[in-house]
Amino acid sequence: IDVYINKEDTRKIAKVGDFHKLQILNTKNEAMLGPVDFHVAFLDKEDGKLQEFDISPVILRQVEVAVASENLTRGDIIGKEDIRMVPIWVGQEKRDHITEPRKFYGKELGANLMAGDIIRARNLLDQICAKRGDIVKLTCLSGAMQVTTMVKALQSGRRGDLIRVQNLTSKKVLSVKLTNIKEAEIRIGG
């Protein structure tokens, strides 16, 4: 943790003179990162109050985040060699930086990144599981029963996407959920 005190608060503190300790009387914020408002008292060696007033320091903490180890292009699939971890100081800004890169190996990059750019969760997409024209293994689920057949993808999609497929035999068109690379499922009935 690191605390940055602005110039105005630094001047207020300097006017207190010598003090033995600082006591935080209360805080007006729930968030304890970024700019935080405190009501503080400055005490002498006998714990006598010298002065009290409000200050608004910026509280930061250091975290290890994933950055691009080299220039990466939109559409690249992220692997261990594409990421290196570096320490950065963060406050209350949006925290979508990656601190556990293993969770994102195999994801597709949705934007170009330069070496050293922070990789953010919003930059990563699930890998495309099926492309239009691919033959996909479809598992049909109904209660405890399960039937598997092959279908043709009429649309491209990523894991979790609903896409249209066509049964190879009946030519019937269905909407199915992609579950893995060239795999989908459909639930029939309750």
Side-chain angles (χ1 to χ4, degrees):
I1 298 283
D2 203 356
V3 178
Y4 289 98
I5 299 174
N6 64 40
K7 288 180 183 180
E8 181 183 334
D9 288 343
T10 300
R11 277 188 226 115
K12 284 189 210 177
I13 294 167
K15 287 181 183 178
V16 172
D18 289 338
F19 61 92
H20 181 66
K21 65 180 165 181
L22 169 85
Q23 181 180 25
I24 297 173
L25 300 175
N26 66 29
T27 178
K28 299 173 185 170
N29 295 18
E30 289 180 22
M32 294 307 290
L33 283 178
V36 179
D37 295 327
F38 289 109
H39 188 73
V40 296
F42 296 85
L43 309 175
D44 61 21
K45 287 186 179 181
E46 289 78 39
D47 287 339
K49 194 181 295 182
L50 299 169
Q51 278 192 27
E52 71 177 72
F53 49 81
D54 293 331
I55 60 172
S56 299
V58 177
I59 299 177
L60 303 173
R61 72 181 173 106
Q62 193 173 46
V63 296
E64 293 269 321
V65 299
V67 298
S69 59
E70 57 188 36
N71 293 346
L72 299 172
T73 306
R74 182 176 187 219
D76 286 351
I77 304 301
I78 298 295
K80 187 176 183 175
E81 69 283 353
D82 298 316
I83 294 175
R84 66 185 170 89
M85 300 301 288
V86 299
I88 65 166
W89 290 97
V90 295
Q92 75 181 103
E93 64 272 0
K94 188 172 182 180
R95 295 179 190 104
D96 72 337
H97 42 263
I98 297 170
T99 57
E100 296 179 52
R102 285 172 288 163
K103 291 181 179 179
F104 298 97
Y105 294 156
K107 298 269 187 178
E108 182 181 330
L109 190 59
N112 293 330
L113 295 177
M114 303 294 286
D117 284 351
I118 294 174
I119 301 173
R120 301 188 180 279
R122 68 176 176 259
N123 299 134
L124 301 175
L125 307 167
D126 283 326
Q127 201 172 347
I128 291 188
C129 289
K131 294 180 183 172
R132 182 183 173 139
D134 282 350
I135 302 302
V136 175
K137 177 181 163 185
L138 174 63
T139 302
C140 303
L141 304 166
S142 180
M145 190 171 81
Q146 171 176 313
V147 176
T148 302
T149 189
M150 301 308 278
V151 294
K152 180 180 177 181
L154 300 177
Q155 297 173 291
S156 297
R158 301 175 190 284
R159 184 183 329 264
D161 286 351
L162 287 176
I163 66 163
R164 291 184 1 261
V165 296
Q166 185 178 50
N167 182 296
L168 297 175
T169 308
S170 71
K171 305 296 184 204
K172 184 176 178 182
V173 175
L174 306 165
S175 286
V176 301
K177 182 179 181 179
L178 288 170
T179 56
N180 210 339
I181 295 174
K182 295 189 180 180
E183 294 182 10
E185 72 177 23
I186 188 170
R187 295 193 180 274
I188 301 170

